[in-house]
Amino acid sequence: MRTKLLAKLSVGVVLTSAGCARQAVEQREDLLSAAGFRVKPANTPERRASLRALPEHQLVLQEMDGREVWVYADPLVCNCLYVGTREDYQRYNRLKVERDIASDRLMAAQLRARPWGVGPYGWGPWGPWGF
């Protein structure tokens, strides 16, 4: 009984972490597209070979046709390469910082909007005065 419960629990954890990982990849790819990276589907043997040769879900600086480009390989979600210039890479980093700042500001606003003394970390209705 206990082993079945542990097996079900571990499967749930794996599925949840896989879903979170996929969401993180999709968010990163949204930023890459917004920064100007071009999507190159792995629809030819050469592109499939390039996709397999690159590390998954990492931006890598490479030389292509005599110029430096940034390449991001995604064999799981879109089965494609994202290719961008140095300017695209700099724009991507700026967008990433702006997204992180916006996320921090949203979290701070949500914490400020919570009434004092209410919630899992507050004093509650009885307060420090012992009502």
Side-chain angles (χ1 to χ4, degrees), residues 18-101:
C20 291
R22 182 181 177 96
Q23 184 180 14
V25 167
E26 289 172 352
Q27 288 175 354
R28 185 176 302 128
E29 291 176 1
D30 288 344
L31 283 179
L32 288 168
S33 293
F37 279 73
R38 291 166 308 288
V39 178
K40 307 281 185 182
N43 54 5
T44 65
E46 296 84 21
R47 286 186 180 173
R48 282 192 286 275
S50 294
L51 188 66
R52 285 191 300 271
L54 292 168
E56 294 180 6
H57 308 294
Q58 292 182 18
L59 276 165
V60 179
L61 181 62
Q62 289 198 329
E63 188 172 319
M64 192 179 288
D65 299 328
R67 58 190 174 95
E68 289 183 345
V69 295
W70 287 91
V71 181
Y72 178 87
D74 179 13
L76 303 175
V77 177
C78 72
N79 195 33
C80 64
L81 294 171
Y82 285 82
V83 181
T85 63
R86 175 171 295 172
E87 292 80 21
D88 297 334
Y89 178 72
Q90 291 170 346
R91 199 174 307 118
Y92 165 77
N93 282 326
R94 241 186 346 267
L95 289 172
K96 193 167 57 167
V97 168
E98 289 171 6
R99 182 201 59 197
D100 292 344
I101 290 171

